[in-house]
Amino acid sequence: MSAILSVDTLNDFISPGVACIKPIETLPAKPQNESNEYEVSFNTEALPPSDLSPAQISLTDCLACSGCVTSAEAVLISLQSHEEVLSELDSGPGLRVRRDGAGVENLDDGGKIYVASVSPQTRASIAATFKVTEREAGYMIEQLLSGSRGIKGRAVYRNGFQWVVDTNIAREACLVLGADEVMHSMLTGEGAPDGVGGGSATKQPKKSILSSSCPGWICYAEKTHPHILPHLSRLKSPQALMGTLLKTTLSRKLGISPDRIWHVAIMPCFDKKLEASREELTDAVWEGTGTRGIRDVDSVITSKELLMLADSRRVDFAKLPRTPLQSRIPFPEPKLDAFLFPTTKRRKNNVQASGTSGGNLYYILQYFASQHEGASVQTARGRNADVLEYSVTSSEGEVLFKAARYYGFRNIQNLVRRLKPARASRMPGGKSIGSARKPAGKATGPEYSYVEVMACPGGCTNGGGQIKVDDPIVSGAEASEIKPGPQEQKDWLAQVDEAYFSGEESADGNTLEDRNDLVDGISPSYIKDTLAHWAATTGLDLGRLVYTSYREVVSDVGKKVGDAERVIEIAGKMGGGW
């Protein structure tokens, strides 16, 4: 389990299920002097030891169990920490990519290539902590992971990360594909074809389409509300899409297997560790082998764990250069190199209306409005600050499109109840029963076509893995000496949000000036051309690369398995049958 995570640090924690088969705490030891000399016991069984250590709970345990409902289920995670990153880097000499990026010099010597992807929320957290700009924070992270003054300076084999990429690049592709998915759903009643064979991925999402980039929300839906799964967007998250892009391209262009490419993602959220462990996000899916595959994202560490990574190598993060590296090895594919490392930001995070979770909903609204001349976007606040409703209205005042934003599990539960299908009445001629019944009266307009759902109140900059206001590096005091109140936490989150929205523009010119279809700084035609080129370069179906699937998680927690079931299971394993 990550050393920095506890139940106290989670701001929207519900609790582990009472039927959890792997308890996360033990009872205190029973005092020796509580025995009663007049008490007679007829229990001859030996008492269990009272000083048991807490059980270790793995990612597989969490994904296979529906006993827990929490906004940061990674409280049960014992893997994917900064220690794992250091252990991997010190496991042996790494592969050396040629200076022109055209191949590997020591291909037969074993070893791996190390690649990292960094989220904009992590850069914002670092920027607020060290009082630097968002761009400077990105340079400091790059210097830590790849520079001579970073972690490789004290490493056993001097291994560092060959490339450090921005997940905002993959976010742009997700925004364009997400808008297409919603538009297609409105026109045909179903989402765009994803090309993924088998499973629920072939069943396209239906209205209302719900965003699927938040892994805490996905775990909650899969384990407790399977009726929601048909509504989930089939798009991969930016983290997952970036992992697929890196591993498919590098393995094809450098002639190495995916297990020799080690990819770490630096995220604001502990639940991203669970996402990286999903079987649907491995090379077995895009290769179509159907066997247990290699993860597209091998490990996830959080913003706080990034500082712990530096401390473990005795690197003073505050003193790292705030300038880019002097040189960079080109990515093996030239067109994808220009895509991954643009000379200027194509889309900036300087519009507060887009939110701090990537702007899925904001982009879809802007894209839809751009398709209708004279249309405008209207906003209405819901029950609280984390519920907002949006509508795109024509010049004549007609509502063309309705959408909403739901952040935090308390609000999500209200949304889930609204989407629960009605239950047929058992009485002949009776009305349907359930929350999906239509209210009486005239309809006020179309239902939500799209809903952006995030588990954390306030969005991803408030993720559980972000650097907190009571962290010693921020407060200058030990964590036990300071207990910030709600206002201090709110003020700190405002500073992180300000850093997120203040990313400045590069001095270089815009590389998309020849495109006339820009929406929020993104050219859909450029994104689609690049994705098509990626699929052609790797020889893989684009649907398998960009879409994923979800499944209901059925738990046997609390269920007793009888002797007959055990015999059947053993017979099946031995090759028998019934």
Side-chain angles (χ1 to χ4, degrees), residues 194-501:
D194 55 25
V196 181
S200 61
T202 56
K203 301 177 182 178
Q204 304 308 316
K206 61 182 181 180
K207 293 171 59 178
S208 304
I209 294 181
L210 310 179
S211 65
S212 58
S213 59
C214 175
W217 150 239
I218 294 302
C219 283
Y220 174 71
E222 287 184 325
K223 293 182 177 184
T224 63
H225 297 290
H227 69 274
I228 289 295
L229 302 186
H231 293 274
L232 294 177
S233 168
R234 298 304 186 234
L235 281 174
K236 290 182 178 179
S237 72
Q239 170 186 295
L241 186 62
M242 181 61 77
T244 305
L245 190 152
L246 293 173
K247 290 219 171 182
T248 54
T249 306
L250 290 175
S251 62
R252 292 293 198 270
K253 299 299 291 186
L254 298 180
I256 58 178
S257 61
D259 61 347
R260 300 187 71 180
I261 304 163
W262 203 79
H263 174 212
V264 62
I266 306 172
M267 293 286 148
C269 174
F270 286 101
D271 287 338
K272 284 294 183 180
K273 299 171 187 274
L274 286 171
E275 177 187 302
S277 302
R278 294 181 66 92
E279 294 182 2
E280 295 87 350
L281 301 176
T282 65
D283 68 330
V285 176
W286 43 264
E287 289 282 16
T289 60
T291 58
R292 189 173 182 85
I294 305 301
R295 295 177 184 172
D296 292 339
V297 181
D298 296 280
S299 183
V300 175
I301 62 174
T302 63
S303 307
K304 172 60 178 176
E305 287 174 311
L306 182 70
L307 300 185
M308 298 171 69
L309 183 72
D311 290 341
S312 298
R313 284 282 196 252
R314 289 182 289 174
V315 175
D316 189 345
F317 195 96
K319 295 182 179 180
L320 287 170
R322 301 173 185 180
T323 56
L325 296 173
Q326 295 297 323
S327 60
R328 175 181 63 83
I329 297 177
F331 201 69
E333 214 297 315
K335 189 168 183 177
L336 293 181
D337 179 82
F339 176 68
L340 290 172
F341 303 97
T343 56
T344 183
K345 287 186 177 181
R346 292 182 288 265
R347 178 181 182 271
K348 309 170 189 63
N349 297 326
N350 58 359
V351 180
Q352 295 195 14
S354 64
T356 60
S357 303
N360 301 66
L361 175 58
Y362 179 80
Y363 183 85
I364 290 174
L365 290 169
Q366 297 302 313
Y367 182 83
F368 192 90
S370 69
Q371 306 300 307
H372 299 80
E373 187 176 357
S376 60
V377 179
Q378 309 295 328
T379 306
R381 175 168 170 166
R383 300 179 61 181
N384 52 62
D386 283 321
V387 177
L388 293 175
E389 296 184 343
Y390 300 85
S391 60
V392 177
T393 308
S394 67
S395 55
E396 291 80 18
E398 179 187 1
V399 176
L400 304 174
F401 181 85
K402 289 189 70 175
R405 173 193 296 175
Y406 278 73
Y407 286 0
F409 271 113
R410 292 174 181 84
N411 295 319
I412 290 175
Q413 289 168 352
N414 293 330
L415 174 66
V416 167
R417 282 192 287 267
R418 291 183 60 176
L419 294 175
K420 189 173 184 179
R423 178 165 49 90
S425 174
R426 297 182 180 180
M427 298 296 294
K431 295 182 179 180
S432 299
I433 304 172
S435 57
R437 289 178 295 172
K438 298 297 181 183
K442 296 182 179 179
T444 57
E447 291 296 316
Y448 297 146
S449 295
Y450 182 82
V451 184
E452 182 178 281
V453 184
M454 297 291 163
C456 291
C460 292
T461 51
N462 192 31
Q466 296 283 71
I467 304 169
K468 302 303 181 183
V469 64
D470 58 349
D471 190 279
I473 200 169
V474 176
S475 63
E478 293 296 330
S480 59
E481 299 176 2
I482 181 172
K483 293 295 182 181
Q487 187 58 44
E488 287 81 5
Q489 296 176 2
K490 184 177 180 180
D491 293 342
W492 173 249
L493 181 59
Q495 294 182 43
V496 179
D497 289 349
E498 182 181 0
Y500 179 86
F501 291 122

